[in-house]
Amino acid sequence: MNKDNRTPMKLINTKDQLIKNINTLRSYLTEGDKKSNSKAKALVKCGICFVAYIIDEEFHFAPSRFIGYVDNNLDKHFKSDEKDGRETNKAINNILGKKPKPDKELDDKYLGYCEKLGIQPSEKGSFGVPRKFWQLDIDKDFKYVRK
């Protein structure tokens, strides 16, 4: 346990855990109350590494720092001071068998996604680094997400 006697955040290690967290984030963005919707948008706005996926022929983006922890939710995420995108990236790399990489086309789609959400991200990710993306093969990797 950490210094506040809270359960430490555990890194995901299965594709089902990854998809569950993506669906959790999606629910905040599509069905959440105003506060949870705003917090979820802030995560998308400030992310550096994203899982890119398509639903209904539209790209969506989920930041690794949120989706990389088992059963994550907004309360747990914002209360924890032990979040580390480097660690979640490693966990997602292990699950997907590849590393995220800069991609101009996906970055343009990310900017369009942000516009649709009504947020204005910075030109680059946090710390001035370029955003990076994993793109899932929708039919192979993401059939579980479609509702």
Side-chain angles (χ1 to χ4, degrees), residues 47 66 123 140:
F66 179 81
E123 190 171 315
K140 179 181 173 195

Side-chain angles (χ1 to χ4, degrees), residues 68-101:
Y69 292 103
V70 175
D71 293 325
N72 207 2
N73 63 54
L74 290 175
D75 288 336
K76 187 189 312 186
H77 186 80
F78 283 104
K79 286 179 182 174
S80 174
D81 58 359
E82 63 182 48
K83 301 176 297 285
D84 188 334
R86 294 169 296 192
E87 297 301 317
T88 57
N89 287 352
K90 288 177 192 174
I92 295 169
N93 289 344
N94 288 337
I95 292 166
L96 299 180
K98 55 188 171 185
K99 293 182 179 184
K101 59 184 179 181

